[in-house]
Amino acid sequence: MDLPIPNWPELLLATICFLFMHYINQRNKPIVSWPLLGMLPSLAINAHCIFEYLTRALNRAHGTFSFLGPALTNFEFILTCDPKNIKHIVKTNFSNYGKGKDFKEIFDDVFGDGIFVAESESWRIQRKMSHAHVQSKDFRTFLATTTQDLTDSGLLPLLGRAARQGSQVDLQDLLIRLTFDSTCTSILGRKAGCLSPGLPVIPFSKAIDDGLEAIFFRHVVPRSWWKLMKRLEIGWEKRMLHARHVIDEFVKEQIAITKSELESKGSSEDLMTSYMSSNRSLSNTFLRDTMVNFLFAGRDASGVALSWFFWLIFENPHTEAKILEELRNVLGGRTSIPLEDLHRLVYLHAALYETLRLYPPVPIDQKAAVHNDILPDGTMVKAGTKIFYSIYSMARMEWIWGKDCREFRPERWIGEGGELKPDLEFKFMSFNAGPRSCLGQDMAFTQMKIAVATILANFQVVVVEGQNVSPKTSVILLNKNGLKVTIKERPLQA
Ligand code: HEM
């Protein structure tokens, strides 16, 4: 018997009908999964607003779902924003959740064996060493002085000029330049010159951008795809190759300079000098990896958080008024704030917490299971499975933060006695939590408070109307188009 051979229009129509019916069946699922391609097309179509898209998906899934990639690619993971699951992963069952093999591979080019990618004993040793250096009084004083100097001599003159000329500036760019210069000086002992006249492109800073871009894409495409691109040296992988070269050369030069100055300097103010003088036998590779990890960690996060902060207080003038009132009381006529008074800025601290809750600089974090496990919400986890937790989405879940979860309300961080209220339930993950929590949290608050206090003591920041303020799809939660502002002189009256 002869079977009828369908012609192309019939086949096309049948395929369209099939896909349409499939879509109708799937549309209430957290993410539509397509035959063979899995959920990747849905992710790709929504890549421009990925964080909001995943937030909607997590809402539909009541906090946790499994992502399935294209067939035969092994591109699968669990996505969650449930604080119970996250507490289990980062604290209760910490030993079962490492960074995973993929993580090391994705970050290897730039991070080497540094603290971000290190596991087990290597991580423990590095964590102990870094903790001692970063928490030391000398280092914290050096960081505060450095940030104050850079704000006074680099940022304020730029803002003053913008105020006199009535010109617009990209505040996000300026704040990232400030915090990167401050971090570079604290880590390497030398500023990168980001706030120099003309706001030059700093090759090292550009290399970090390119590295982060490649790292992001490596997360969202199957492993075999980016591996092939790396071998062919094309696209973002080509830029990664160049970035690695620039980073290696820059840090190599800094290590050589610090080594040559060690005898004459002898101090332990910046991190690299402090490491070298406490242990002269540290290898160049160890120093390179340690410093690069710290520079990556400290380059964007505080600057990005500050940029979202200035946008949020502009949108919420009653909050800005309260911050100004607190600054007037604490500064008492001074135009900058000494390190020992930073703890008195309680409302500002709460406003920064609230900024970091709504706009976490690291919007999504990840772990990988060592052994089979079951998460507190009943999700089965097979050994080797990657688990991503969306810190951005956590802030937008009514069942976590209440009906006003999307509102900017610093008051939620202040207790009845006016003290800062810590999060004890793993609802606030912007600095991670548990044994691998951020080592730079105090450092970041020192930088951010000094920058805010000094800027607001001298100027009013006015956000230019009509611009599209929304997060960029990236490893760091940058504002897609920067933040255009104008500046007005406004000495703070005591
Ligand atoms: C607002 C600013 C910052 C935010 C939101 C932030 C956030 C985070 C997060 C989410 C992690 C966990 C990453 C992971 O799981 O792999 C982390 C780890 C870390 N951060 Fe930060 N960070 C900030 C500033 C800094 C600064 C200024 C430094 C120091 C230069 C720093 C140093 C580190 C280090 C060394 C780790 C690795 C800790 C470990 O694995 O044991 N961070 N940070």
Side-chain angles (χ1 to χ4, degrees):
M1 192 180 77
D2 283 346
L3 286 172
I5 301 169
N7 58 25
W8 285 114
E10 280 173 349
L11 255 181
L12 188 66
L13 190 64
T15 311
I16 291 172
C17 287
F18 169 74
L19 291 177
F20 181 70
M21 292 310 292
H22 182 80
Y23 174 75
I24 296 290
N25 275 336
Q26 291 257 329
R27 82 199 140 137
N28 290 327
K29 298 262 165 67
I31 292 190
V32 175
S33 181
W34 297 96
L36 296 176
L37 294 172
M39 296 175 176
L40 196 58
S42 311
L43 202 65
I45 291 166
N46 291 286
H48 62 286
C49 57
I50 195 87
F51 303 117
E52 280 297 329
Y53 177 69
L54 293 178
T55 301
R56 284 198 297 277
L58 282 164
N59 234 329
R60 275 200 292 271
H62 308 293
T64 306
F65 68 89
S66 294
F67 180 94
L68 302 171
L72 307 176
T73 59
N74 203 15
F75 186 51
E76 291 176 17
F77 55 84
I78 292 170
L79 185 71
T80 188
C81 68
D82 185 335
K84 290 194 301 301
N85 289 346
I86 295 171
K87 179 179 180 185
H88 179 83
I89 296 163
V90 303
K91 186 171 178 224
T92 322
N93 202 6
F94 175 73
S95 60
N96 192 45
Y97 292 93
K99 299 268 175 162
K101 191 168 85 23
D102 282 6
F103 189 89
K104 168 92 178 112
E105 230 174 16
I106 286 176
F107 285 83
D108 192 45
D109 297 68
V110 273
F111 284 64
D113 290 321
I115 189 164
F116 267 102
V117 283
E119 304 261 33
S120 318
E121 205 41 30
S122 161
W123 167 73
R124 246 181 293 281
I125 294 169
Q126 292 194 52
R127 172 103 192 169
K128 209 169 154 202
M129 268 178 94
S130 319
H131 192 262
H133 288 286
V134 171
Q135 292 301 323
S136 78
K137 177 115 200 316
D138 278 355
F139 181 71
R140 288 167 55 203
T141 311
F142 182 59
L143 170 76
T145 318
T146 299
T147 309
Q148 190 65 62
D149 283 354
L150 288 164
T151 312
D152 290 344
S153 65
L155 187 63
L156 290 193
L158 284 168
L159 297 181
R161 197 170 322 127
R164 285 190 302 280
Q165 294 173 349
S167 53
Q168 290 183 11
V169 288
D170 177 356
L171 192 63
Q172 176 173 267
D173 179 50
L174 293 184
L175 292 168
I176 289 178
R177 285 171 181 272
L178 170 72
T179 50
F180 186 48
D181 260 356
S182 145
T183 304
C184 242
T185 316
S186 325
I187 305 297
L188 302 175
R190 272 163 294 277
K191 61 181 179 182
C194 299
L195 286 169
S196 307
L199 300 176
V201 174
I202 307 293
F204 178 64
S205 184
K206 166 87 175 57
I208 294 186
D209 279 339
D210 290 344
L212 287 174
E213 189 192 31
I215 285 169
F216 177 79
F217 282 115
R218 287 177 179 186
H219 273 99
V220 294
V221 299
R223 176 176 172 271
S224 50
W225 296 11
W226 70 258
K227 285 263 166 186
L228 183 66
M229 288 179 70
K230 186 174 176 183
R231 200 164 316 139
L232 298 175
E233 294 185 16
I234 54 173
W236 66 76
E237 290 299 330
K238 185 175 173 190
R239 289 197 290 281
M240 170 63 115
L241 211 66
H242 179 66
R244 186 190 168 147
H245 177 72
V246 173
I247 290 167
D248 283 353
E249 288 304 307
F250 176 78
V251 179
K252 201 163 90 186
E253 190 188 332
Q254 300 305 319
I255 292 173
I257 297 174
T258 307
K259 274 199 172 149
S260 70
E261 289 174 354
L262 202 55
E263 297 308 329
S264 56
K265 228 172 158 190
S267 84
S268 57
E269 288 174 336
D270 65 85
L271 198 70
M272 183 143 72
T273 312
S274 152
Y275 262 70
M276 283 187 192
S277 39
S278 66
N279 182 348
R280 306 246 162 171
S281 60
L282 293 174
S283 71
N284 278 4
T285 312
F286 177 86
L287 287 168
R288 179 256 176 228
D289 290 349
T290 304
M291 299 312 145
V292 169
N293 277 250
F294 268 92
L295 289 168
F296 261 75
R299 192 191 81 131
D300 287 339
S302 319
V304 165
L306 280 172
S307 174
W308 288 112
F309 167 87
F310 278 104
W311 175 65
L312 283 165
I313 60 164
F314 180 77
E315 293 289 308
N316 296 273
H318 59 285
T319 307
E320 183 177 13
K322 285 189 184 175
I323 293 170
L324 291 175
E325 191 187 322
E326 184 178 71
L327 280 175
R328 261 184 223 109
N329 291 336
V330 175
L331 289 179
R334 293 169 297 182
T335 49
S336 62
I337 180 150
L339 179 62
E340 55 277 13
D341 278 345
L342 286 181
H343 74 278
R344 293 175 60 201
L345 298 173
V346 175
Y347 191 79
L348 174 60
H349 204 115
L352 289 167
Y353 264 150
E354 185 65 347
T355 304
L356 291 160
R357 182 184 76 84
L358 283 167
Y359 293 95
V362 181
I364 297 184
D365 211 338
Q366 73 176 88
K367 294 280 179 277
V370 180
H371 304 294
N372 292 347
D373 192 19
I374 302 175
L375 297 181
D377 72 352
T379 306
M380 308 286 283
V381 183
K382 277 197 268 167
T385 305
K386 278 198 266 185
I387 305 184
F388 287 89
Y389 42 100
S390 173
I391 303 168
Y392 181 91
S393 303
M394 292 175 86
R396 288 155 179 81
M397 296 289 145
E398 286 190 8
W399 53 277
I400 300 181
W401 286 99
K403 284 228 170 303
D404 62 356
C405 58
R406 282 184 180 257
E407 282 170 33
F408 179 65
R409 220 171 54 77
E411 287 71 17
R412 71 175 95 235
W413 293 99
I414 297 178
E416 281 174 12
E419 77 291 353
L420 275 173
K421 214 165 53 174
D423 159 43
L424 303 173
E425 300 163 63
F426 291 75
K427 296 180 341 185
F428 177 73
M429 289 297 296
S430 300
F431 289 105
N432 211 0
R436 274 200 106 134
S437 63
C438 174
L439 267 171
Q441 180 165 347
D442 288 349
M443 205 175 147
F445 273 106
T446 301
Q447 287 177 326
M448 292 190 293
K449 282 179 163 177
I450 288 177
V452 171
T454 314
I455 294 171
L456 290 182
N458 292 281
F459 299 109
Q460 182 188 3
V461 175
V462 182
V463 174
V464 174
E465 277 183 37
Q467 59 184 309
N468 173 10
V469 175
S470 58
K472 181 177 168 180
T473 299
S474 152
V475 181
I476 298 284
L477 199 74
L478 290 154
N479 188 345
K480 206 180 266 180
N481 305 304
L483 185 68
K484 308 278 178 308
V485 301
T486 54
I487 304 294
K488 289 191 181 147
E489 304 265 0
R490 182 198 43 200
L492 200 66
Q493 300 302 325

